[in-house]
Amino acid sequence: MAEVSTVDFKNIEGKKTDSRGSVANKRVLIVEDIGEMRLMLKSLMSSLGYSKIDIEPSGQAALKRILDGRYDIVLSDFNLGGSVDGQQLLEVTRKTYALDHSTIFMMITADTAYEAVVSVLEYQPDSYLVKPFPPEAFMRRLGKVIQQKKAFHNLNQSRLNKDWGQVIEEAKYIMSKHAPYASLCLKSIGEALFAQGEYKQAKTHYMLITQKHKNLAWAYFGIAQCEMALESYAGAAKNLETTISLSRHFLSAYDLLADVYEKMDNLEEAQNVLRSVLEVSPRSPERSKRMGDISAKLKDWVAAEQAYGRVIRLSRDTINENVDMYYDHLQAITNLISSAGDSNKTLNEKFKRSLTRLRIIGKASPVAVTNSFRIEVQQYVTRNHIGEAVKTWQNWHRLITQGKASPLSEAQEYTLKKRLGLI
């Protein structure tokens, strides 16, 4: 992580009128599950003049806030418990505010192991502190980051306006004035060239960087992005493998590598890549869903069921829970039952649990109700339990009559009845 030159925070505080005026409208989000720490952080930010401060004890609630509206500063604990941790909040913040690099994200953690990995993380916080820490240390770190953001203000405004030529000019200017920021500036230039569609020039830019600095994972990733855009998939794969070897936590490299293998019609390798990234980042519903989809295409129903099951565990009782994830899971289980036989009690229990949850969250949707019964009938037919399938159809038909389940077409109903031996 690129550090910045030390700033005298006392001098910043000394200009109280200017400082407080400049922060009056800035929004702060504090994400911390320990009450005393929440109060301390709020007190510190209030003492600096910040007044628009939101506080959340859980990562799930904080995630919703980040998605609903932009924050200027996010102070987050790393270990939050639950299904969303601080690193996931950082990843979502970076992706959601992709063009607005002015947002400050500061990680606060009691995990000293974080110090060992932070420098190779793809999504790095602007700064971090290891608990316990004195208020003065927090002030110094925040002051450093504020100075860095000021230096990049014009560049960030150009990025927001998608004025990529100006981004490049601003980056060159900052490099000439602030040598410690050279890496961030070179990265910004490469991203701007790529955004302009100048893929060959961007590739050359990144390659020149790797010749001087062979351990910069983001530069190899930049080359891979250019190779992908130029449809040079083998070259992209090679540079993505290098990226991952340099930084095991460079999550986007795995995602892009899976894209590359899909483009090359090599679903087995795409599946292997996703299996690897889920070992590094097991709490990602999106990557788990993709693992399930690719496994389903390969008819690897064991892997598909596990992946879709993980999606459900990560998303249950969150804003991301939806009926589609249960359709996927139930379909994978049905296919597993078809190959494993009717005697697998574990699969049957999993099916019942997912079906029950689907009907709970989808009860207000006639389409969801019908789809749940369609899957249940299919499962009974797969197990050759025709009597149970008929009972399910009768219940389904009653709900259709009551308007609680969406109706079938005449052709669909005829086919279903014929399959159940009712015609």
Side-chain angles (χ1 to χ4, degrees):
M1 175 170 55
E3 273 289 3
V4 298
S5 54
T6 304
V7 62
D8 186 349
F9 205 84
K10 290 182 179 178
N11 287 338
I12 292 177
E13 281 210 284
K15 302 174 183 178
K16 288 191 176 180
T17 302
D18 293 339
S19 175
R20 291 179 184 275
S22 66
V23 304
N25 294 317
K26 293 191 179 297
R27 298 183 66 209
V28 178
L29 176 61
I30 296 172
V31 192
E32 172 61 66
D33 56 352
I34 299 175
E36 293 84 352
M37 184 60 69
R38 288 198 297 270
L39 290 174
M40 186 187 88
L41 291 171
K42 183 177 181 181
S43 176
L44 287 172
M45 297 306 290
S46 296
S47 72
L48 295 175
Y50 295 92
S51 58
K52 296 183 178 180
I53 303 174
D54 293 326
I55 299 176
E56 290 294 349
S58 76
Q60 289 143 309
L63 181 61
K64 186 176 187 305
R65 284 189 181 271
I66 287 170
L67 293 173
D68 286 346
R70 195 186 72 81
Y71 283 93
D72 299 286
I73 299 177
V74 179
L75 308 175
S76 178
D77 188 24
F78 178 64
N79 294 308
L80 291 167
S83 60
V84 178
D85 63 20
Q87 196 64 31
Q88 286 174 284
L89 288 180
L90 173 59
E91 182 177 347
V92 170
T93 302
R94 293 290 190 249
K95 288 182 175 180
T96 303
Y97 310 155
L99 292 178
D100 188 358
H101 288 217
S102 63
T103 296
I104 292 172
F105 195 110
M106 197 163 173
M107 194 76 77
I108 298 166
T109 177
D111 187 355
T112 55
Y114 190 76
E115 290 184 288
V117 301
V118 65
S119 63
V120 296
L121 290 171
E122 174 192 0
Y123 296 103
Q124 298 177 2
D126 294 295
S127 190
Y128 71 96
L129 278 169
V130 177
K131 301 176 188 176
F133 55 83
E136 294 78 10
F138 173 83
M139 296 292 198
R140 283 196 302 272
R141 292 291 180 93
L142 182 59
K144 285 182 180 182
V145 178
I146 289 172
Q147 289 299 97
Q148 178 179 317
K149 296 297 182 181
K150 285 180 179 178
F152 279 81
H153 175 76
N154 291 339
L155 187 152
N156 288 331
Q157 286 300 118
S158 298
R159 183 187 276 112
L160 276 173
N161 296 329
K162 298 185 179 181
D163 186 347
W164 305 116
Q166 190 60 34
V167 167
I168 293 171
E169 290 304 312
E170 293 290 346
K172 290 178 179 177
Y173 174 78
I174 294 170
M175 275 196 296
S176 70
K177 299 294 183 180
H178 305 280
Y181 299 154
S183 181
L184 289 173
C185 292
L186 290 170
K187 190 170 185 286
S188 297
I189 291 171
E191 291 168 349
L193 290 170
F194 185 87
Q196 289 181 137
E198 298 178 19
Y199 306 128
K200 291 182 179 178
Q201 190 173 344
K203 178 182 172 182
T204 300
H205 170 77
Y206 285 123
M207 290 180 72
L208 288 172
I209 293 171
T210 61
Q211 287 176 11
K212 294 182 179 179
H213 309 281
K214 299 189 182 300
N215 295 322
L216 290 178
W218 59 261
Y220 291 97
F221 181 74
I223 296 172
Q225 285 183 303
C226 297
E227 297 277 21
M228 185 74 168
L230 295 168
E231 299 184 359
S232 177
Y233 301 129
K238 180 180 178 181
N239 280 286
L240 289 167
E241 287 164 1
T242 300
T243 304
I244 293 168
S245 71
L246 290 171
S247 176
R248 181 171 176 264
H249 297 85
F250 204 113
L251 304 180
S252 293
Y254 295 91
D255 296 335
L256 189 59
L257 186 54
D259 290 341
V260 169
Y261 284 128
E262 281 203 84
K263 287 286 187 182
M264 298 170 72
D265 293 322
N266 192 340
L267 294 182
E268 290 85 358
E269 281 302 322
Q271 185 191 48
N272 288 334
V273 170
L274 290 169
R275 187 175 286 116
S276 296
V277 73
L278 286 169
E279 290 176 0
V280 177
S281 177
R283 291 185 175 185
S284 170
E286 296 81 10
R287 294 185 182 97
S288 297
K289 170 70 164 62
R290 189 175 182 189
M291 176 68 172
D293 291 345
I294 288 180
S295 298
K297 289 178 182 177
L298 290 168
K299 300 191 185 304
D300 183 350
W301 299 115
V302 172
E305 187 279 322
Q306 291 173 349
Y308 290 138
R310 185 187 294 113
V311 174
I312 289 171
R313 290 192 298 276
L314 293 170
S315 304
R316 181 160 176 158
D317 296 321
T318 73
I319 58 174
N320 297 318
E321 187 178 26
N322 60 68
V323 295
D324 289 335
M325 64 181 60
Y326 290 95
Y327 298 153
D328 292 335
H329 191 223
L330 289 165
Q331 193 62 57
I333 294 173
T334 298
N335 283 289
L336 261 181
I337 290 173
S338 178
S339 59
D342 180 43
S343 60
N344 194 314
K345 293 182 180 180
T346 301
L347 289 177
N348 294 334
E349 287 301 315
K350 284 183 177 181
F351 188 93
K352 288 178 183 177
R353 287 196 298 270
S354 271
L355 185 65
T356 299
R357 185 62 181 173
L358 168 58
R359 286 182 175 154
I360 290 172
I361 67 170
K363 62 183 179 181
S365 168
V367 172
V369 172
T370 274
N371 285 335
S372 75
F373 277 97
R374 191 195 312 273
I375 293 170
E376 186 178 14
V377 167
Q378 180 187 358
Q379 183 255 166
Y380 279 129
V381 170
T382 296
R383 295 167 60 193
N384 203 30
H385 289 203
I386 303 303
E388 293 296 328
V390 170
K391 289 179 183 178
T392 299
W393 160 244
Q394 291 169 343
N395 291 331
W396 180 8
H397 188 265
R398 176 173 52 80
L399 293 174
I400 291 174
T401 303
Q402 295 172 355
K404 295 179 180 179
S406 59
L408 301 177
S409 68
E410 288 185 13
Q412 288 173 328
E413 186 169 333
Y414 176 84
T415 301
L416 177 60
K417 288 181 175 179
K418 186 175 181 180
R419 192 174 184 186
L420 298 179
L422 299 175
I423 295 177

